[in-house]
């Protein structure tokens, strides 16, 4: 956007007066933030309008990314950057004695997601807009986002995330674009003029009100839309009329029950709980989204028979799978198409990404619940299932086991993953290994039936937020060495490789990292009161706390190191600061126990003068996008140590790499591709291979007890869990102890312990050579371009949604 500083400054001053009716000097920073946000939104509004007009004129294909989660974080800084306004804004505010960073910090994170899946959706929106693809998000406007985590007495306490408390400058409520979503009731079946007509009657109507947020592309005059739906009662009249008849409270209760649909994000990550409210949420946003897409399409003269040429709907995991039967319902019941035609259009439109192979995450709804809540949708799913099973019977005569494994409805449940595969034209995994496991293990039968549907799209991250914004120091160095072409073409980062052998560049990388570490150290001191040594190795594991991500393995090796240091305080190791952050699902006892363990270790180690010059442990509370933006650029070592086969991809691994951290990892998810990119010498790989893990799962043969009995270091640290060393209450860490011993260590922590410890010794010795270390960091940065979500989105566009999308933008 072309604007000069003085115009901007004037506009800002006027805006401030407009909305606050006062002078800037008299206000506080929150008011200044509101005025700035509101001004930027005005600028964006013009772009937004233009973009929409253009889309309507060109009639190009529109992509809709349906997701229960969008983890956007803050928008001010990124929007300013994408508009090309960051410098003039900074300067104009400085003249008014305002520091832009102070205002940015006042913005609440938009935390409408649990973790990887939600953040991926946000990175994809940024890439679609920046590549000029007409791609929009569709989801739920949760009143309360992902909970706020406090650590009290070493334990996680959950507080509600009232992110809308101060209002939200970015969204626009579009009441006139509301849709009605119908729940419950019955289906009336009539024969009208020889046609069977289905009508849902006696249903409960819910009003879906859209709130639109513009998603601005990078310096390309594009503003796409994220549309989030909020649930309201269809009419308020009832409230007043029933006031006198004593029905008032009932009316309020009713209002609350309707609004509860968009009240709160479920905080269970990778764990499915068959709660009816979640099913309601799913149908609510999917139905509203599809109705509004079709309404818009028809309003602009679109012919329903060609819907699949103009629209793609992508479903982010199985959570929005009801898009398939809902689209069928509209095509059949409202548009009057026949089954075959409706099915062809629907499957052409819908594509599906699987994000996890954990069995406990598979969504399966009990038939009775499903049928009661969505009677017409259930009929359609039944019909899809019958037709699909009849194809299976023809192909697999008598193979009942195989057929029942593939069926959509079986054992009293509706299986959403099977429905998603059958009802879409593309099924993708999110990293090479993950896709192979889907094809050869998890969804084996479905894959052999539909081999052409399956494909891989390795995840990515937006380098604009995760490099340009969060690491200006490094961005500067890159621009000064290789120029700025990598901003539009992130794979140009490879040009940096030759510079990484240059001593001057290595020193510069070290200096930039040190600065980032100092900033983080300040934060750690402010938040936790712990002084950390910025020349120590910042060894970082930040992500959801989960058994399979193995924060326990990290804990055990710290406990082991602590034992070794107490035995020999002169042990020759480079000082390390172990940094953790992450939230546990409120109902996941083991994960919460792990947080307590980390904090107990921190307490012990940080207060032991014998070792605390060499090691420190820090748990930063309330991990979210903004905190990630501060932690990741300050990391030396990136911990990606999941049990091989369990992490579908991981995306923080890519963020760390792009910011010049070296990875210590198992060969899991996208770690494999990172390793292939940088080469064995530039990553620290350890642990079981996928083949070994799969063999244990299939054939057994693993005994953690054996390892415990034979390995002294392991025995010591396991015993330390319950001998009073880390807590007077010896039962405190019993669940972790039991998990690792009695329950045979489901995630093979003990099996990988030795190789992890050994590999960490290598880390130590390389870190001692600063030049060598920075050379490797540089190689990682140079090879990180392929992990930009721009590459991922180009692959989705060419491989799934329609190649014309990309050619148009070349
Ligand atoms: C039904 C409950 C539930 C909720 C969330 C089940 C599953 C999920 C998500 C699939 C969990 C998730 O975020 N998966 C992560 O997706 C990332 C983006 O593809 C991957 O990088 C991570 O490896 C994967 O764990």
């Amino acid at each position: 956007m072309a604007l000069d500083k003085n115009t901007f400054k004037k506009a800002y001053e006027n805006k401030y007066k407009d909305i606050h009716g006062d002078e800037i000097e008299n206000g506080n920073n929150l008011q200044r933030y509101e005025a700035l946000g509101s001004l930027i939104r005005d600028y964006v509004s013009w772009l937004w309008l233009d973009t929409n007009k253009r889309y309507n004129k060109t009639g190009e294909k529109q992509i809709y990314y349906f997701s229960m989660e969008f983890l956007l974080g803050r928008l001010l800084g990124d929007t300013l950057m994408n508009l090309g306004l960051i410098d003039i804004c900074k300067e104009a505010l400085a003249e008014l004695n305002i520091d832009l960073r102070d205002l940015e910090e006042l913005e609440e994170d938009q935390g409408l997601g649990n973790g990887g899946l939600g953040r991926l959706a946000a990175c994809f929106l940024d890439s679609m807009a920046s590549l000029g693809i007409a791609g929009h998000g569709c989801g739920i406007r949760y009143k309360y986002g992902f909970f706020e985590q406090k650590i009290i007495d070493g334990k996680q306490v959950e507080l509600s995330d009232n992110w809308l408390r101060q209002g939200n400058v970015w969204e626009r409520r579009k009441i006139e674009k509301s849709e009605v979503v119908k729940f419950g009731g019955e289906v009336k079946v009539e024969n009208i003029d020889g046609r069977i007509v289905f009508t849902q009657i006696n249903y409960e109507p819910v009003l879906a009100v859209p709130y639109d947020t513009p998603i601005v592309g990078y310096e390309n005059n594009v503003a796409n839309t994220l549309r989030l739906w909020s649930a309201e009662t269809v009419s308020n009249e009832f409230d007043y009329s029933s006031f006198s008849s004593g029905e008032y409270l009932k009316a309020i209760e009713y209002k609350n029950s309707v609004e509860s649909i968009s009240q709160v994000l479920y905080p269970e990550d990778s764990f499915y709980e068959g709660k009816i409210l979640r099913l309601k949420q799913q149908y609510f946003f999917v139905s509203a989204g599809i109705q509004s897409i079709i309404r818009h399409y028809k309003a602009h003269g679109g012919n329903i028979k060609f819907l699949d040429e103009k629209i793609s709907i992508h479903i982010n995991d199985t959570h929005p799978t009801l898009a398939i039967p809902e689209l069928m319902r509209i095509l059949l019941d409202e548009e009057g198409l026949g089954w075959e035609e409706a099915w062809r259009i629907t499957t052409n439109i819908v594509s599906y990404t699987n994000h996890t192979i954990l069995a406990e995450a598979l969504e399966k709804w009990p038939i009775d619940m499903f049928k009661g809540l969505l009677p017409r949708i259930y009929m359609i799913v039944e019909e899809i299932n019958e037709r699909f099973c009849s194809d299976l019977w023809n192909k697999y005569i008598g193979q009942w086991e195989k057929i029942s494994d593939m069926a959509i409805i079986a054992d009293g449940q509706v299986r959403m993953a099977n429905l998603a595969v059958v009802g879409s034209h593309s099924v993708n995994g999110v990293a090479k290994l993950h896709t192979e496991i889907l094809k050869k293990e998890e969804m084996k039968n479905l894959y052999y039936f539909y081999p052409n549907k399956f494909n891989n799209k390795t995840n990515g991250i937006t380098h604009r937020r995760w490099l340009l914004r969060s690491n200006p120091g490094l961005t500067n160095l890159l621009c000064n060495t290789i120029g700025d072409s990598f901003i539009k073409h992130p794979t140009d980062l490879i040009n940096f490789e030759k510079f990484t052998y240059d001593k001057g560049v290595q020193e510069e990388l070290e200096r930039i990292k040190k600065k980032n570490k100092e900033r983080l150290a300040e934060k750690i001191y402010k938040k936790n009161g712990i002084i950390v040594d910025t020349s120590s190795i910042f060894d970082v594991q930040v992500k959801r706390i989960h058994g399979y991500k193995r924060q326990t393995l990290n804990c055990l090796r710290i406990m082991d190191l602590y034992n070794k240091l107490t035995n020999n305080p002169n042990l020759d190791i480079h000082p390390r600061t172990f940094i953790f952050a992450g939230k546990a699902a409120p109902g996941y006892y083991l994960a919460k126990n792990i947080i307590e363990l980390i904090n107990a270790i921190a307490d012990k180690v940080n207060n032991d003068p014998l070792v605390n010059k060499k090691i420190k442990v820090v748990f930063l509370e309330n991990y979210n996008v903004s905190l990630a933006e501060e932690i990741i650029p300050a990391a030396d070592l990136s911990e990606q140590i999941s049990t091989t086969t369990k992490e579908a991809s991981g995306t923080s691994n890519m963020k760390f790499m792009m910011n010049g951290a070296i990875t210590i990892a198992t060969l899991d998810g996208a770690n494999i591709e990172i390793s292939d990119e940088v080469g064995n010498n530039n990553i620290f790989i350890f642990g079981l291979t996928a083949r070994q893990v799969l063999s244990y799962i299939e054939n057994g043969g693993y005994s953690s007890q054996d390892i415990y009995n034979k390995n002294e270091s392991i025995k010591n640290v396991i015993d330390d869990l319950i001998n009073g060393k880390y807590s007077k209450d010896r039962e405190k860490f019993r669940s972790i102890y039991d998990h690792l011993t009695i329950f045979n260590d489901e995630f093979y922590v003990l099996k990988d312990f030795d190789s992890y410890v050994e590999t960490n010794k290598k880390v130590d010795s390389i870190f001692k050579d600063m030049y060598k270390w920075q050379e490797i960091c540089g190689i990682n940065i140079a090879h990180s371009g392929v992990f930009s979500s721009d590459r991922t989105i180009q692959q989705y566009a060419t491989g799934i949604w329609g190649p014309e999308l990309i050619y148009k933008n070349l």
Side-chain angles (χ1 to χ4, degrees):
M1 239 179 135
L3 262 181
D4 66 72
K5 184 186 65 190
N6 290 334
T7 321
F8 186 90
K9 188 170 147 199
K10 195 85 228 133
Y12 177 64
E13 285 172 317
N14 286 339
K15 188 70 184 182
Y16 190 94
K17 285 180 197 151
D18 258 7
I19 65 172
H20 296 304
D22 203 347
E23 302 291 340
I24 296 179
E25 312 78 86
N26 301 333
N28 59 30
N29 274 349
L30 185 59
Q31 290 171 310
R32 293 175 187 139
Y33 162 76
E34 283 166 354
L36 183 61
S38 167
L39 176 67
I40 303 306
R41 196 193 57 178
D42 287 353
Y43 288 147
V44 172
S45 292
W46 294 102
L47 265 188
W48 210 3
L49 200 65
D50 270 5
T51 307
N52 285 329
K53 272 194 200 152
R54 197 171 66 240
Y55 289 159
N56 289 335
K57 213 166 96 197
T58 60
E60 65 202 87
K61 197 170 194 181
Q62 303 288 304
I63 314 303
Y64 296 95
Y65 196 82
F66 276 44
S67 177
M68 283 278 261
E69 308 190 4
F70 287 95
L71 192 46
L72 296 185
R74 292 178 177 144
L75 294 181
L76 178 61
D78 289 74
T79 307
L80 277 170
M81 172 181 69
N82 287 3
L83 289 171
L85 288 180
I86 201 114
D87 291 334
I88 71 148
C89 175
K90 216 183 275 171
E91 289 162 22
L93 291 182
E95 287 185 8
L96 297 163
N97 290 322
I98 301 170
D99 186 339
L100 174 60
R101 270 175 312 182
D102 292 342
L103 303 195
E104 280 178 56
E105 295 223 331
L106 291 175
E107 180 172 356
E108 291 276 345
D109 262 51
Q110 191 157 330
L112 309 186
N114 270 286
L117 163 131
R119 183 55 231 174
L120 186 77
C123 285
F124 281 6
L125 291 182
D126 184 73
S127 283
M128 289 191 288
S130 296
L131 292 169
I133 292 175
H136 315 282
C138 177
I140 299 174
R141 180 183 182 266
Y142 300 104
K143 186 166 174 201
Y144 297 98
F146 192 31
F147 68 84
E148 187 189 336
Q149 179 195 54
K150 282 246 174 284
I151 301 297
I152 297 177
D153 296 334
K155 286 195 181 73
Q156 167 174 297
V157 174
E158 301 94 22
L159 305 179
S160 63
D161 167 43
N162 191 0
W163 69 289
L164 290 164
R165 193 177 21 215
Q166 303 168 2
N168 172 8
V169 293
W170 306 111
E171 66 184 13
R172 282 194 194 272
R173 177 180 161 93
K174 297 261 170 81
I175 185 79
E176 74 287 358
K177 300 221 161 122
S178 300
E179 298 288 348
V180 173
V181 179
K182 300 172 182 174
F183 290 103
E186 302 104 50
V187 179
K188 191 170 79 182
V189 187
E190 292 164 296
N191 190 327
I192 300 178
D193 301 333
R195 234 192 92 215
I196 299 179
V197 175
F198 300 88
T199 327
Q200 196 175 343
I201 54 169
N202 300 328
Y203 56 83
E204 184 194 333
V206 170
L207 191 71
V209 180
Y211 286 72
D212 288 356
T213 297
I215 306 292
V216 177
Y218 184 80
E219 295 187 354
N220 67 350
N221 294 325
V222 169
N224 287 336
T225 302
L226 168 59
R227 174 162 285 182
L228 300 178
W229 298 91
S230 178
E232 297 186 12
T233 49
V234 167
S235 148
N236 278 326
E237 287 161 32
F238 183 56
D239 301 358
Y240 300 105
S241 61
S242 44
F243 186 58
S244 50
S245 57
E247 297 282 300
Y248 179 64
L249 286 179
K250 262 198 191 151
I252 294 288
E253 262 172 41
Y254 174 69
K255 185 167 144 60
N256 283 341
S257 87
V258 167
E259 289 173 1
S260 73
I261 295 175
S262 56
Q263 194 82 354
V264 62
L265 164 80
Y266 274 96
E268 271 74 36
D269 171 79
S270 316
F271 187 77
Y272 160 75
E273 250 187 319
K275 289 267 164 48
I276 192 161
L277 182 60
R278 185 168 165 96
L279 185 58
K280 266 192 177 176
Q281 290 185 330
Q282 297 186 345
Y283 185 63
F284 167 73
F285 92 94
V286 155
S287 173
I290 293 185
Q291 290 186 63
S292 85
I293 290 168
I294 294 184
R295 194 179 306 286
H296 181 82
Y297 175 73
K298 288 175 63 177
H300 289 84
N303 179 339
I304 202 75
K305 289 180 182 292
F306 306 121
L307 190 68
D308 55 329
E309 289 174 18
K310 295 291 175 188
I311 273 158
S312 280
I313 293 177
H314 199 88
I315 58 178
N316 200 16
D317 215 89
T318 56
H319 319 153
T321 300
L322 292 170
I324 293 161
E326 175 66 0
L327 188 50
M328 285 297 285
R329 181 189 70 77
I330 294 176
L331 296 177
L332 295 167
D333 298 356
E334 296 183 10
E335 301 296 333
L337 300 189
W339 184 277
E340 272 78 21
E341 188 170 30
W343 185 244
R344 178 186 56 76
I345 294 175
T346 299
T347 49
N348 278 345
I349 287 178
V350 179
S351 45
Y352 154 60
T353 299
N354 174 291
H355 294 268
T356 181
I357 57 156
L358 298 184
E360 62 269 31
L362 278 185
E363 294 193 296
K364 290 178 254 171
W365 298 104
I367 289 179
D368 291 341
M369 184 196 286
F370 195 113
K371 204 170 172 176
L373 190 67
L374 310 167
R376 177 62 184 136
I377 293 297
Y378 184 71
M379 289 171 81
I380 293 171
V381 173
E382 249 184 341
E383 174 90 31
I384 297 173
N385 185 48
E386 272 166 29
R387 287 169 183 253
F388 174 56
C389 286
S390 102
D391 289 349
L392 295 180
W393 286 320
N394 290 335
K395 182 158 181 180
Y396 304 120
I397 299 159
Q399 300 184 46
W400 298 111
E401 221 172 281
K402 184 177 267 186
I403 294 171
S404 83
D405 170 71
M406 297 166 79
I408 296 165
I409 303 176
D411 308 326
Q413 293 172 317
V414 184
R415 300 163 170 170
M416 302 306 265
N418 297 39
L419 178 56
V421 173
V422 175
S424 57
H425 66 280
S426 165
V427 178
N428 75 280
V430 290
K432 278 182 195 157
L433 175 68
H434 170 59
T435 302
E436 283 313 300
I437 294 175
L438 279 183
K439 296 200 299 196
K440 306 290 163 55
E441 308 278 336
E442 275 321 283
M443 297 190 167
K444 188 166 69 188
N445 289 326
L446 286 164
Y447 168 62
Y448 287 117
F449 191 70
Y450 294 123
N452 299 327
K453 284 193 187 187
F454 285 72
N455 62 90
N456 176 247
K457 298 283 170 283
T458 299
N459 281 165
I461 54 164
T462 168
H463 61 289
R464 286 167 291 274
R465 178 178 291 260
W466 297 107
L467 174 59
L468 307 191
R469 280 286 302 151
S470 63
N471 204 338
L474 180 56
T475 304
N476 241 332
L477 173 65
L478 291 167
C479 288
N480 291 339
T481 46
I482 60 171
D484 61 5
S485 71
F486 73 94
I487 296 177
K488 291 249 164 163
H489 305 283
T491 45
D492 284 358
L493 282 170
I494 198 69
N495 298 331
F496 188 61
E497 187 161 18
K498 58 178 179 290
F499 291 94
T500 68
Y501 303 103
D502 179 306
K503 281 224 151 57
V505 170
Q506 291 163 359
E507 281 161 12
E508 191 59 14
L509 280 171
E510 148 89 0
R511 197 189 58 77
I512 292 162
K513 183 67 75 181
K514 191 78 188 280
K515 269 215 150 144
N516 294 340
K517 287 166 79 171
E518 279 161 8
R519 215 167 298 130
L520 183 62
E522 236 173 73
K523 173 123 196 169
I524 291 172
Y525 182 66
K526 244 196 241 154
K527 286 221 152 204
N528 295 26
I530 302 170
I531 297 175
V532 300
D533 169 6
T534 53
S535 61
S536 67
I537 304 175
F538 275 24
D539 178 330
V540 182
Q541 189 175 19
V542 289
K543 49 183 79 255
R544 287 298 291 262
I545 312 290
H546 202 294
Y548 85 83
K549 295 183 189 276
R550 299 202 296 189
Q551 281 90 358
T552 33
L553 177 58
N554 197 343
C555 286
L556 293 185
R557 67 86 187 241
I558 301 172
M559 292 159 70
D560 177 56
L561 194 55
Y562 181 47
N563 288 345
K564 287 175 179 147
L565 277 169
T566 31
N567 288 338
N568 174 15
N570 295 324
L571 191 73
D572 180 26
I573 60 157
H574 191 92
R576 265 202 219 204
T577 305
F578 300 97
I579 297 169
F580 293 85
K583 294 175 185 176
Y588 188 178
Y589 185 79
L590 183 74
K592 291 178 119 174
N593 206 209
I594 294 171
I595 293 180
E596 286 186 79
L597 178 61
I598 297 168
N599 284 305
I601 300 172
D603 226 31
K604 183 89 187 161
V605 167
N606 300 346
N607 294 311
D608 185 339
L610 211 59
V611 305
N612 68 11
K613 297 273 171 308
K614 291 217 163 127
I615 57 173
K616 285 264 169 73
V617 181
V618 175
F619 187 96
L620 280 164
E621 71 183 5
N622 203 35
Y623 186 57
N624 60 12
V625 173
S626 303
L627 187 56
E629 286 167 12
E630 294 182 72
I631 296 176
I632 292 170
D636 294 305
L637 189 64
S638 157
E639 297 277 349
Q640 308 299 338
I641 59 176
S642 54
T643 307
T644 306
T645 72
K646 302 282 180 192
E647 188 72 273
S649 160
T651 41
S652 76
N653 44 4
M654 304 168 184
K655 295 165 194 162
F656 281 106
M657 171 196 197
M658 197 176 270
N659 280 279
I662 306 181
T663 310
I664 180 164
T666 49
L667 281 176
D668 197 18
N671 301 341
I672 299 175
E673 282 140 275
I674 292 179
S675 170
D676 290 346
E677 269 298 323
V678 297
N680 279 344
N681 294 331
N682 300 306
I683 187 167
F684 300 104
I685 296 293
F686 73 97
L688 288 169
T689 61
R691 202 179 291 271
Q692 289 169 318
V693 170
L694 291 173
S695 159
Y696 274 145
I697 294 172
E698 271 151 42
N699 315 319
Y702 178 64
S703 164
S704 65
Q705 201 69 47
D706 276 1
I707 300 178
Y708 169 87
N709 290 330
K710 284 185 200 137
N711 185 318
E712 206 189 324
S713 301
I714 289 183
K715 184 177 185 312
N716 287 338
V717 289
I718 297 280
D719 289 348
D720 284 347
L721 288 169
I722 53 163
N723 65 11
K725 184 165 187 169
Y726 291 95
S727 165
K728 280 194 208 103
D729 172 6
R730 292 172 177 231
E731 292 306 300
K732 193 165 187 172
F733 302 116
R734 174 67 68 176
S735 74
I736 299 175
Y737 178 89
D738 286 351
H739 199 269
L740 294 173
T741 55
I742 301 173
F743 301 118
N744 202 27
D745 182 18
E746 186 187 351
F747 299 111
Y748 312 107
V749 171
L750 304 194
K751 183 75 191 171
D752 280 346
F753 180 86
D754 274 348
S755 62
Y756 184 48
V757 169
E758 278 313 303
T759 308
N760 266 297
K761 288 184 187 153
K762 278 194 226 152
V763 171
D764 201 77
S765 76
I766 295 186
F767 195 86
K768 284 180 178 138
D769 178 353
M770 182 281 270
Y771 290 103
K772 181 68 194 164
W773 182 271
Q774 291 304 336
E775 176 192 308
I776 300 178
C777 291
I779 290 171
N780 273 270
I781 297 165
H783 285 265
S784 68
V786 288
F787 298 107
S788 163
S789 44
D790 288 7
R791 184 268 308 150
T792 316
I793 285 299
Q794 286 178 14
Q795 292 177 335
Y796 274 85
T798 50
I800 302 177
W801 302 328
E804 70 277 12
L805 300 171
I806 286 295
Y807 299 140
K808 174 183 72 86
N809 294 301
L810 277 180

